[in-house]
Amino acid sequence: MDRRYFLSVGGVLLATASPLALADEKKSNGVRPTPTPTPAPTPSPGTGKPRVIVIGGGMAGATVAKYLRLWGNGIAVTLIERESSYVSNIMSSLVLSGQRTMSSLTYNYSKLTSAYGVTVIKSDIQEIDTTGLRVKLADGSYLSADRIVVAPGIDFEDVPGLGTSTRMPHAWKAGPQTTLLASQLAALQPNQNVILTIPLSPYRCPPGPYERACLIGDWLKAKKPGSKLTVLDANAVIQAEADNFTKAFAMHGITYVPYAEIVSVDPASSVMKVTIRDTTPGGAETITDHYASVVNLIPRQKAGKLIADAGLNNSADGRFANVNPLSYESTAKPKIHVIGDAAATGQPKAGHIANQEAKVCADAIVRAFTGPAPGLAPDPAPVTNSACYSTITMTQASWLTAVYQYDSILKKMAVAPVPGIAASVGWSTGNFSQMNTWFNALMADSFA
Ligand SMILES: Cc1cc2nc3c(=O)[nH]c(=O)nc-3n(C[C@H](O)[C@H](O)[C@H](O)COP(=O)(O)OP(=O)(O)OC[C@H]3O[C@@H](n4cnc5c(N)ncnc54)[C@H](O)[C@@H]3O)c2cc1C
């Protein structure tokens, strides 16, 4: 596959129409379905082939491992993931409304090994030695490489008053918290209420909390009449698709409170308390208590713990890793690359973007190992795209697409002037079924 063609031409075409048109364009450009893989043989020890370690087998890590093998002319790739399988966050809000099972969102790593020759190790990485280019596995042993790609996703900041209570799940990493929140919602009694909180940006999946709110709001009307949803948003405004979500909130009778910074929570009593400060500029900073029987508390986010431990958290707020968007190499430590939600790139923290970042990163690493030392320079003009669907009701969805390109003056990824960002006007059942097509294509591109 021609990497440059894939990254730029495919990316632009993909975002010129609805997300499903994106998928069709991909097919017509030979990008989807993934071509029958012919991975280069895995190098044996001592052959001198470059070695890359990838930490984290999520949307970013799985994709970079696969494409390093597809494009890498024999690069030895070891993917280290703490779980046996991956549960997709994308579509996981549909578990809350009973429309998806966790198993339908679960992906394993067998194809990465059998079809592409990725070595997969199940281990919880304890430490990254950024100088020695080694990682410490859970059993205390070390593995070294020529490059390390770090893709650990996100962690959450503490919320005052929450302590170790699990009564206010975030369900923002798909897993046990998702099923817990689903069971809490199912157990709601007549007229009991729900709160969903949204943290300050940047957080994982800008439209995600609003689409979850719409889904819960629609589900409450159908299954729990009399129960109401209140959304407490730390941000000044709705962070994506504001027109669609504003109309949908009104349609579902959802109370939306912006500038709602969480001061503390009290999960102990049966009706739980969320205390917020109104941060409206020029306002009186009023403190208000909100009560509900189910609280979906989505805390403020930061890069997965490994990033700070390794001194890679050099974004302005210290929560994410600054990278060179031509290669995703850390600006703090050479030969260490950071992709996905853990990186600060100017692009949204989204699975589709994580997949795109992974391909730009794979391409840059392959170039670095090619040609005379120190190797070829990265593509100077990468283009990435993002598509996502939002559930507005249990059967209807809207869509949003965006294309980003490298700004060589600002040295960062920026929204491309054309075609830029586009969203559907309203929502439809057709979009809802196209959402499944888009999702299946994205997951196949990352894991199969
Ligand atoms: C409800 C919801 C809906 C969403 N919807 C969309 C959507 O419609 N479209 C979209 O594009 N995005 C969506 N997203 C966002 C998307 O899921 C994330 O942006 C994406 O998963 C980020 O990929 P990642 O690889 O950075 O992190 P992850 O996918 O979280 O993967 C990180 C991996 O690293 C592993 N790991 C972490 N630390 C270690 C360690 N020390 N050792 C070994 N392994 C480790 C973890 O186990 C995990 O498997 C949604 C998110 C949520 C929560």
Side-chain angles (χ1 to χ4, degrees):
M1 184 188 309
D2 181 321
R3 300 198 303 275
R4 192 182 164 84
Y5 179 70
F6 172 81
L7 290 167
S8 56
V9 178
V12 171
L13 288 177
L14 277 179
T16 52
S18 74
L20 192 63
L22 287 184
D24 288 340
E25 292 285 1
K26 276 189 169 181
K27 278 183 200 147
S28 68
N29 284 293
V31 175
R32 184 96 55 212
T34 301
T36 307
T38 49
T42 306
S44 344
T47 56
K49 287 285 188 182
R51 299 154 307 158
V52 178
I53 288 173
V54 179
I55 304 173
M59 300 301 297
T63 309
V64 79
K66 168 179 164 177
Y67 279 89
L68 277 166
R69 290 290 300 154
L70 260 181
W71 293 338
N73 190 28
I75 293 175
V77 180
T78 303
L79 173 65
I80 308 174
E81 162 60 47
R82 61 158 72 113
E83 307 290 345
S84 314
S85 52
Y86 178 72
V87 183
S88 169
N89 303 301
I90 306 175
M91 307 288 256
S92 65
S93 291
L94 287 160
V95 174
L96 308 178
S97 56
Q99 294 171 272
R100 275 266 182 180
T101 59
M102 295 296 278
S103 61
S104 79
L105 300 174
T106 302
Y107 296 81
N108 66 44
Y109 300 102
S110 59
K111 194 80 186 287
L112 292 186
T113 301
S114 64
Y116 304 99
V118 176
T119 301
V120 178
I121 297 177
K122 180 177 183 300
S123 184
D124 191 338
I125 292 297
Q126 304 298 297
E127 181 187 311
I128 305 170
D129 171 359
T130 55
T131 310
L133 288 180
R134 303 185 304 165
V135 300
K136 184 178 180 186
L137 281 76
D139 65 4
S141 63
Y142 283 87
L143 210 58
S144 55
D146 301 297
R147 298 266 172 162
I148 299 174
V149 182
V150 195
I154 53 154
D155 275 342
F156 300 95
E157 295 198 336
D158 292 339
V159 178
L162 184 61
T164 55
S165 173
T166 53
R167 290 196 65 218
M168 296 181 165
H170 52 72
W172 215 242
K173 267 186 194 177
Q177 290 228 341
T178 314
T179 42
L180 173 63
L181 182 58
S183 61
Q184 289 179 345
L185 286 167
L188 266 181
Q189 298 300 305
N191 301 318
Q192 289 185 334
N193 294 327
V194 180
I195 286 174
L196 183 152
T197 72
I198 303 177
L200 268 185
S201 271
Y203 58 82
R204 164 174 278 181
C205 193
Y210 306 97
E211 76 153 347
R212 177 178 287 180
C214 288
L215 198 59
I216 294 175
D218 195 36
W219 180 84
L220 288 176
K221 282 193 298 188
K223 306 283 185 186
K224 307 283 177 182
S227 294
K228 295 284 176 214
L229 170 64
T230 298
V231 173
L232 302 176
D233 190 347
N235 298 288
V237 291
I238 290 174
Q239 296 296 292
E241 283 189 70
D243 284 354
N244 285 334
F245 288 126
T246 301
K247 287 180 190 140
F249 281 9
M251 178 174 79
H252 294 313
I254 295 169
T255 303
Y256 176 69
V257 184
Y259 290 114
E261 179 189 278
I262 295 179
V263 176
S264 64
V265 297
D266 178 4
S269 53
S270 61
V271 179
M272 294 175 278
K273 182 167 80 173
V274 179
T275 303
I276 59 159
R277 175 188 295 118
D278 180 351
T279 59
T280 307
E285 295 214 349
T286 326
I287 305 285
T288 318
D289 294 331
H290 292 259
Y291 295 88
S293 302
V294 172
V295 177
N296 180 190
L297 183 76
I298 306 174
R300 200 151 186 233
Q301 293 156 32
K302 57 188 176 186
K305 182 173 178 303
L306 283 176
I307 297 291
D309 289 353
L312 298 164
N313 59 328
N314 60 342
S315 65
D317 60 9
R319 290 189 294 139
F320 296 98
N322 279 341
V323 293
N324 171 1
L326 297 180
S327 61
Y328 292 86
E329 188 169 8
S330 158
T331 56
K333 311 277 181 184
K335 299 189 179 176
I336 306 281
H337 300 248
V338 183
I339 53 174
D341 288 356
T345 70
Q347 300 161 108
K349 298 191 182 302
H352 195 128
I353 281 288
N355 168 287
Q356 297 278 292
E357 292 178 357
K359 290 170 186 167
V360 176
C361 177
D363 180 61
I365 290 175
V366 170
R367 287 171 191 243
F369 289 140
T370 308
L376 300 177
D379 178 351
V383 175
T384 58
N385 71 82
S386 175
C388 92
Y389 289 85
S390 295
T391 47
I392 299 293
T393 72
M394 286 191 286
T395 55
Q396 296 171 306
S398 60
W399 58 257
L400 177 69
T401 61
V403 175
Y404 300 86
Q405 68 184 33
Y406 184 66
D407 182 323
S408 58
I409 295 168
L410 297 175
K411 297 197 179 340
K412 61 176 208 173
M413 298 300 286
V415 175
V418 179
I421 296 178
S424 63
V425 179
W427 46 86
S428 71
T429 50
N431 288 343
F432 196 93
S433 73
Q434 289 175 4
M435 175 172 71
N436 290 307
T437 308
W438 161 80
F439 174 68
N440 291 336
L442 177 64
M443 299 314 281
D445 193 44
S446 300
F447 289 90

